[in-house]
Amino acid sequence: MYKKLRKVFKYVLLSGLVLWLLAEVALRIFYHEQLKLREYPQIYNPDHKIGYRYIPNRDATIDMPSISKDFRINNQGFYGPDFDTQKKEGVFRIAVVGSSQATGIWLDSEESFSMKLEKLLQDQGKPVEVINLSIDGRFRDEESIILAEELVPVFNPDLVLISTSMPFVRGDVFRDIYRGYVMIYSSRKFSKSNCMRRIDYLERHTFLKTLYNISYCARAACRYYRYHYPGRYSENLEIFIEKRIQADRVSFQPWASNVSAHRILKLDTLVREQGGQMFVFNYRPDAFFEEISQMYCIPYLPLNIPVDDNSLHHELDIHFNDKGHQEIAEQFRDSLLARDVIHLPVPTDTLGDG
């Protein structure tokens, strides 16, 4: 009887091992993107004026479903190639200010639409430089305006393209990095420290961390539990999987439309005082934004990126993919050329006395 039980036990153990190995192979083949280890870019520094900024000259990695790449934050603290503070003589400088769709970080290739737009306009014989001053994050309309007001006098762009919503929505949001996690927290007391405490709790579970890292079956089990059993444990799993924690009670406050419009007009006045021009843009036509723009004479430039064209977005993510960024760049090129806004200023030393 004892020998028979031992034989059954070995058979069950062997069968279980074979099934586990088959499941591991199948999950690695068919669900690699969904179950791969994730890495959120470690590029944030908290900032009292705009919540957070990128860390200049920072090497980083992003690994998310359908997105995987290494990149570097440039010398000015943005995504894209390095550029000089001083604008080159004889070059028309365009500054793009937006959020995650504009940064290029959440892109499955290297070239954001800012880089692509620069090449497209240069191919048209335009001596253009496009600098990308975008920082990712939702509900950062006021922060984008503040950033533009800060940097327009510094970089002296001839044209500013800025993306905002209407009306503005302001988020009380900061970001920082801690032990390989990105923390999203508010100015409330203990908001940041609570995030850190929760990360410390997760990092103490070294055995479970190791199991998750080596086994796709463990990752699939965590994913199943996360989506089917809501609660504190599921929240902890999501934080561990995403390498990102958002604090409780991060508030978002909508502005009045007229206040939002006057905030945009204030920036437009600053840009014009610097000798430049500005357009507010949306990726898709927005009837309400267009109405407000006409009412307050806001320079408005809507794009028309198809909502239902899934080929322009990541398969497993809402952000634009390389094809989407190419489409945006081409629409910008066509709109700017049609409006004939790219004109180099005449050097003062070539002007006569009369």
Side-chain angles (χ1 to χ4, degrees), residues 93-106:
R93 174 173 276 184
I94 300 173
V96 176
V97 184
S99 57
S100 61
Q101 295 286 26
T103 60
I105 290 172
W106 302 90

Side-chain angles (χ1 to χ4, degrees), residues 248-302:
D248 299 329
R249 302 176 68 189
V250 173
S251 62
F252 300 98
Q253 301 173 338
W255 288 27
S257 297
N258 63 328
V259 177
S260 304
H262 283 106
R263 195 71 181 86
I264 294 173
L265 290 174
K266 183 181 177 183
L267 174 62
D268 183 52
T269 299
L270 173 64
V271 173
R272 292 181 181 278
E273 287 174 350
Q274 295 290 131
Q277 187 175 357
M278 186 189 86
F279 285 104
V280 179
F281 74 90
N282 295 126
Y283 297 103
R284 301 176 184 90
D286 184 322
F288 180 71
F289 205 139
E290 188 165 2
E291 178 184 341
I292 296 295
S293 297
Q294 292 174 356
M295 185 182 303
Y296 291 94
C297 299
I298 295 172
Y300 180 51
L301 192 159

Side-chain angles (χ1 to χ4, degrees), residues 19-45:
L19 289 173
W20 176 75
L21 289 173
L22 289 174
E24 282 287 332
V25 172
L27 290 171
R28 289 168 188 265
I29 293 174
F30 297 108
Y31 294 96
H32 170 72
E33 280 298 307
Q34 294 91 328
L35 298 176
K36 68 181 180 180
L37 294 177
R38 303 188 183 186
E39 186 167 350
Y40 210 91
Q42 310 284 294
I43 54 176
Y44 303 99
N45 235 355

Side-chain angles (χ1 to χ4, degrees), residues 72-315:
R72 179 177 172 273
I73 298 300
N74 66 25
N75 61 328
Q76 303 289 356
F78 299 98
Y79 179 88
D82 291 345
F83 61 90
D84 296 328
T85 302
Q86 185 68 32
K87 181 172 59 179
K88 295 182 178 67
E89 186 175 348
V91 171
F92 187 92
R93 174 173 276 184
I94 300 173
V96 176
V97 184
S99 57
S100 61
Q101 295 286 26
T103 60
I105 290 172
W106 302 90
L107 175 64
D108 53 350
S109 61
E110 296 300 321
E111 290 192 343
S112 66
F113 68 75
S114 296
M115 300 183 222
K116 294 176 183 292
L117 176 61
E118 179 177 285
K119 291 183 178 179
L120 289 173
L121 290 173
Q122 288 176 353
D123 289 344
Q124 296 291 321
K126 303 291 185 180
V128 165
E129 176 190 35
V130 182
I131 59 175
N132 190 353
L133 308 181
S134 303
I135 297 178
D136 64 313
R138 298 176 63 201
F139 306 125
R140 289 178 52 81
D141 299 310
E142 184 190 21
E143 285 77 8
S144 293
I145 295 288
I146 294 171
L147 184 66
E149 288 175 338
E150 174 190 314
L151 296 181
V152 162
V154 175
F155 297 127
N156 194 27
D158 300 290
L159 176 65
V160 176
L161 302 173
I162 184 167
S163 172
T164 70
S165 56
M166 179 61 70
F168 283 10
V169 178
R170 185 185 185 281
D172 175 25
V173 178
F174 295 82
R175 291 192 185 189
D176 203 351
I177 52 180
Y178 179 67
R179 300 189 69 174
Y181 293 77
V182 170
M183 299 184 296
I184 302 174
Y185 57 96
S186 73
S187 59
R188 292 177 183 271
K189 191 176 182 180
F190 303 125
S191 182
K192 181 177 181 179
S193 60
N194 285 340
C195 289
M196 297 171 69
R197 191 177 302 113
R198 206 161 174 184
I199 291 170
D200 288 336
Y201 168 78
L202 293 173
E203 287 297 298
R204 286 200 296 268
H205 293 76
T206 53
F207 172 75
L208 295 177
K209 280 177 52 184
T210 303
L211 181 63
Y212 182 89
N213 290 339
I214 64 175
S215 172
Y216 273 62
C217 288
R219 298 179 203 177
C222 289
R223 181 184 176 91
Y224 181 87
Y225 187 92
R226 170 187 168 191
Y227 287 114
H228 290 84
Y229 297 94
R232 196 66 169 177
Y233 290 120
S234 293
E235 292 175 7
N236 286 337
L237 278 176
E238 182 173 4
I239 294 166
F240 174 73
I241 292 169
E242 301 288 345
K243 295 297 181 285
R244 170 183 177 272
I245 179 171
Q246 179 164 320
D248 299 329
R249 302 176 68 189
V250 173
S251 62
F252 300 98
Q253 301 173 338
W255 288 27
S257 297
N258 63 328
V259 177
S260 304
H262 283 106
R263 195 71 181 86
I264 294 173
L265 290 174
K266 183 181 177 183
L267 174 62
D268 183 52
T269 299
L270 173 64
V271 173
R272 292 181 181 278
E273 287 174 350
Q274 295 290 131
Q277 187 175 357
M278 186 189 86
F279 285 104
V280 179
F281 74 90
N282 295 126
Y283 297 103
R284 301 176 184 90
D286 184 322
F288 180 71
F289 205 139
E290 188 165 2
E291 178 184 341
I292 296 295
S293 297
Q294 292 174 356
M295 185 182 303
Y296 291 94
C297 299
I298 295 172
Y300 180 51
L301 192 159
L303 304 178
N304 190 15
I305 308 301
V307 178
D308 56 352
D309 190 346
N310 293 329
S311 69
L312 301 179
H313 300 82
H314 292 295
E315 180 183 359

